Structures are given as C-alpha cells and as structure tokens.
Amino acid sequence: MIGFQEAKNGERTVSCDGKFLHSKYNPSSEGEKFAQNVQADFSPLCLIFIEPALAYSAFFLKKRFPRTQFIAIRFFTEFDKTENARLFDRTIFFDENTNLADELFECLSEEELCSALVLEWTPTKNLLPEKNALVWNEIKAAILKSRDVLGTRSYFSKRWLKNSISFFTNINTFCTARKTKLPIVVASSGRSLESSLPFLCELRQSYFLIAVSSAFLPLITHNIVPDIVISTDGGYWAKKHLAFPTGHKSLSTPVFALSSESAVPKRLLQNEKIIPLCYDDDEIQRQLFLSLGIPHMPARRNGTVSGTAVELALTLTDRTVYCVGLDQAPAVGYQHTQPNSLEQSSQAADFRLKPKETRLTSSQFSSAGSLAIYRNWFISKSRTRLSRVKRLSASYPFAFSLGAIKDVDWAFFKDTESDGHSAHADFSPLSLAEKSSLERKKILSAALEKIRMTDNFKKEFFPMERLLILRETDEEKKKVLKRELEEKISAFLKDYT
C-alpha cells in the first residue's frame, strides 16, 4: 500500500508496505545526489527511468540532459498525478499484460533506443526485484531490436536507393485507389490460405481483394484475380513473386501497389498500372515524389508487408477488413501456400545429401523469430488501429491468436457480408509519365544533390554514423566523425548524381 507522508524538511515523501521509497529527512537532496552520481560517457537521446516514485531526481537530471526525452516506466498509478510527473515526456504503466518492448519500440525511434540511458530507482528495485528484472529484460529486447533495424537500414540503404531510382525512372502508368463500399479481404500466403481458396473463388463478387505479392501466384493459379497486389520488400528475392511474363492474362486486371524502395521487375513498372506508395515517415521519398510530380498514396511502414496491406485496406473501406493466410507462425513442411515462387527456385538446389525435407525443416525453425515479431505487431495494434480487422479461415487450427483480432470462418462471412453487391476495382483516372526515363533520372540526381546533407538524408541512409555523431560529447571527435560522414555521402551518391 502506498502512503504519502511529510519529510522532516517539509517535502512530501512516500512509503510502500512500510518501506520508504524516499528519504524521511530531505528527499530532494537525495534526488540531487542520485542525479550527480549518474555515469554517462555519451549524450543520451532518451532517458528511461524505471519507477522513479516521486521523481525528485528527475528535476536535476533534466538540468544535466536538457535535450533528452524522458520516459517513466511506472509500477504504481498513484505517482502519475504527483508534481514531478510532469517532468516526463511519456509514461508507460507496466504490469503482466504490458508488452513493454513493443510499446517502447512504437513510441521511440531506433536511434533513441540505441542511445538510451536507462536508470532504476534503488528503493523500488529492492521493493519489487522480480518486476524490475522483467522491465530490464523488456528494455533490452527493445534496444536489441532497434540495433537490428538500424543495422538492416544501414546495410540495405544502397539497395533501397537503387530500387527507388529504378522505380521512379521506369514507372509509366500510375493511379490511386478510391474507397470501396465492399468489405476488403487481405490475402497473405500462410498455410491457412490453401483451405480458403474455394471460398475466395465462390464469393469473389462479394469483396475487394488485396493480395501481398507472395500470395499472388497461388491466387491466380486458382483463377482468383486480386484487385490490388502489394509489395514493399526491398530485397532482390521479392522480385521473384512478381516475375510473371508481360501480357499474362492475369496481369491485365490487378493494379500493383508498390513502395518506391521495393524490388520490382522493370517490365512490370513499364507495362502495368501502379499505385505508388510513400511511407508517412519517409521525408526523403516524399521529396523525390514531389520533384517528379508523381501522385502517391500514404502507407505505414511495418515489419511485414501484411501489416502495411491491412492498414492500406482500412483506409479504403469503412467496413470490416478480413485477413486470410495470416498465420504468423511456422508450420510443418511448407511455410507458404503452394505454388510459391521462392519454393520453385529453392527446390532446384535440392539433392540426395540435402533433400527438400532438410531444407523445409530448417526454414520452419529459422522463421520462428521473425514471425513472432510480426505476430506481436498485430497483437499490440489489435485494440487500436486494427479494431475493424478479423482473421478469416476455413476453421483452420491457428497456433497463435492475434490479440483482439477475432478469428471467424467463412460461414460468418457469408452471413455477414454476402449481400449480393458486385466487387469492382475503383481507381482514380490513370496518368502517364510525362517525362522520359533520362529526364526523370536527371531530376532525381538534382533532388538528391539538394538534400544530401540534410539530417533526414543522414538518418535514412547513414543511421549508424549519424547516431555516433549525436552520442559523441567530445567536440573534436565529433568534427572528425562529421568529416568522415561527408566523405561517405559523396562516395555513396557518386553513382546517382
């Protein structure tokens, strides 16, 4: 039980179950000493304080780190309305139902988490050691995830820019999607998709269909043509899901929703109808879109294309969004509904000493970690942004639930959504690129040259180097790091400007 009392110097102090969380004599002096003793050999972008109670030390920490964002991890709600609570930019309450790692990753950038100073208030640590240890583990998970994301961004930045140049110089026909009055089905390629294929075919006129690229082949193999096919993956392997012959009968109907950094065959960009997607947090890509005057639709960046597809679907209908093939768990045998383009490529390398069974088993175990991350994203968003989303299947035995996202079957869909309306794609008038590929490349080069030294550019393509500069406290070392970064940027853009 929390009990507030008056300290000897007249300030407020507090105890919990008879144990004082602050000095009984001078709590503000105690807080000042704590702040003075904090060791930090870098400049933190974020300070995460584990249950600071009345947070007297936060006042003095603010003086030491005036430009740092302060986050409080609270165990007790009683402290949220106390005077010093206002010193924190954000407060997260932690209990057994809190996915703290995901919440931190959602509210803080990767750079902030990788340059976070984490503090604990010793009295609350001693009072609740197990809970305190759980919080440390969650914070560690969030920081490690941020480190991996930063590493991925740094490693793939050249590839993504190369993809963007190809996208902007080869796209010929573009449009945007309008709202539909129909429910939307988002098709992913998990194993549960297979059992839903007969129903998708039977009820095709009752819904608008968005398919992630890996689900495209199994759908058209069963004569189910999506209204939109979406791809956002920048890896070279993503092209294989879209490597269909130009003029294929199934390519005359879908529109392809593509982020500018996605890996896409050139002939698809040149010959098919494209919905350009621009992530709402990507200022660099937005500038490139503006420089060429190409219209685009906003999209949210997620760890998985299925998440981006679902959030796009929510903007295109006021009705329910149904997800099929959204297993988000490893399966025995094939991890995706067949046929699958990557499987067709991989099986060519199977032989007697490394048979298909060995490869599939390895894939099952290696995919578990990433699928858990994707699954947790859906769970954490299920009560807020994804409140209109349901997971649809032919009574498939899913290994995991998706939080508040309800699992329903096709009988539910028929009773709720089969109202006889005819499905049709509704897109804005198509526009053709007015400038030649060479003219567009010159415009892009000029745009990149203009923004090359902006903070957004460094954050996008050189996140590690930028973070080292932000963390450095020695001005001479900081100048050296800045000079090295400028040289890297010049070498990086040599191929594009």
Side-chain angles (χ1 to χ4, degrees), residues 372-434:
I373 293 173
Y374 305 156
R375 184 171 63 248
N376 287 334
W377 180 87
F378 279 95
I379 292 171
S380 65
K381 299 292 178 293
S382 61
R383 294 188 181 277
T384 53
R385 298 211 296 259
L386 310 184
S387 58
R388 283 192 285 125
V389 177
K390 299 185 187 300
R391 182 165 61 174
L392 177 62
S393 74
S395 301
Y396 186 84
F398 290 109
F400 298 97
S401 66
L402 295 180
I405 297 176
K406 184 180 179 181
D407 289 337
V408 298
D409 59 19
W410 283 97
F412 175 92
F413 184 90
K414 288 180 179 180
D415 292 342
T416 307
E417 306 291 1
S418 297
D419 51 14
H421 291 297
S422 177
H424 63 283
D426 193 6
F427 302 106
S428 65
L430 301 178
S431 300
L432 298 176
E434 297 178 352

Side-chain angles (χ1 to χ4, degrees), residues 217-469:
L217 183 54
L219 287 171
I220 65 168
T221 300
H222 290 80
N223 296 315
I224 303 166
V225 182
D227 296 296
I228 294 175
V229 176
I230 182 171
S231 181
T232 61
D233 196 332
Y236 67 90
W237 55 84
K239 288 185 178 182
K240 295 183 179 181
H241 293 306
L242 299 171
F244 291 87
T246 301
H248 187 286
K249 63 179 180 180
S250 294
L251 290 186
S252 61
T253 300
V255 173
F256 292 83
L258 307 170
S259 65
S260 57
E261 66 191 34
S262 56
V264 185
K266 286 184 180 180
R267 61 182 178 181
L268 187 143
L269 291 169
Q270 293 166 346
N271 298 305
E272 306 303 332
K273 300 182 288 291
I274 308 297
I275 297 175
L277 300 177
C278 182
Y279 293 123
D280 53 9
D281 63 349
D282 196 333
E283 183 61 32
I284 299 297
Q285 295 299 327
R286 186 177 293 109
Q287 290 296 323
L288 298 182
F289 272 111
L290 288 173
S291 69
L292 292 167
I294 295 177
H296 60 271
M297 292 191 69
R300 284 184 181 268
R301 191 187 300 274
N302 296 293
T304 169
V305 65
S306 294
T308 301
V310 167
E311 298 209 76
L312 175 65
L314 289 169
T315 68
L316 295 179
T317 185
D318 294 324
R319 295 177 63 172
T320 303
V321 171
Y322 295 90
C323 296
V324 295
L326 191 66
D327 303 5
Q328 300 298 289
V332 177
Y334 293 119
Q335 301 304 300
H336 302 277
T337 292
Q338 300 301 303
N340 179 272
S341 298
L342 297 184
E343 170 61 25
Q344 292 176 345
S345 298
S346 298
Q347 67 185 6
D350 294 337
F351 66 104
R352 185 171 60 86
L353 297 180
K354 287 189 176 181
K356 177 175 70 175
E357 289 75 12
T358 300
R359 175 173 54 80
L360 293 180
T361 301
S362 176
S363 177
Q364 175 186 347
F365 288 104
S366 64
S367 64
S370 58
L371 288 171
I373 293 173
Y374 305 156
R375 184 171 63 248
N376 287 334
W377 180 87
F378 279 95
I379 292 171
S380 65
K381 299 292 178 293
S382 61
R383 294 188 181 277
T384 53
R385 298 211 296 259
L386 310 184
S387 58
R388 283 192 285 125
V389 177
K390 299 185 187 300
R391 182 165 61 174
L392 177 62
S393 74
S395 301
Y396 186 84
F398 290 109
F400 298 97
S401 66
L402 295 180
I405 297 176
K406 184 180 179 181
D407 289 337
V408 298
D409 59 19
W410 283 97
F412 175 92
F413 184 90
K414 288 180 179 180
D415 292 342
T416 307
E417 306 291 1
S418 297
D419 51 14
H421 291 297
S422 177
H424 63 283
D426 193 6
F427 302 106
S428 65
L430 301 178
S431 300
L432 298 176
E434 297 178 352
K435 297 178 176 63
S436 69
S437 177
L438 182 59
E439 288 176 313
R440 281 180 274 169
K441 191 165 186 178
K442 289 180 178 178
I443 293 172
L444 289 172
S445 296
L448 288 171
E449 187 65 32
K450 185 177 180 180
I451 61 178
R452 57 177 293 184
M453 295 311 296
T454 63
D455 190 59
N456 279 330
F457 187 90
K458 298 171 188 175
K459 183 178 180 180
E460 180 70 20
F461 297 106
F462 295 89
M464 296 290 199
E465 292 85 350
R466 173 181 175 272
L467 181 57
L468 288 175
I469 292 171

Side-chain angles (χ1 to χ4, degrees), residues 63-100:
K63 289 184 176 181
R64 280 194 63 182
F65 309 110
R67 292 184 293 275
T68 299
Q69 183 175 184
F70 276 47
I71 309 292
I73 309 298
R74 292 289 192 187
F75 300 158
F76 305 101
T77 58
E78 288 88 343
F79 296 130
D80 191 42
K81 294 183 179 179
T82 55
E83 182 181 358
N84 290 331
R86 59 183 173 77
L87 297 174
F88 293 95
D89 301 287
R90 185 182 178 93
T91 298
I92 301 174
F93 292 97
F94 180 80
D95 58 30
E96 64 276 4
N97 298 316
T98 306
N99 192 329
L100 181 59

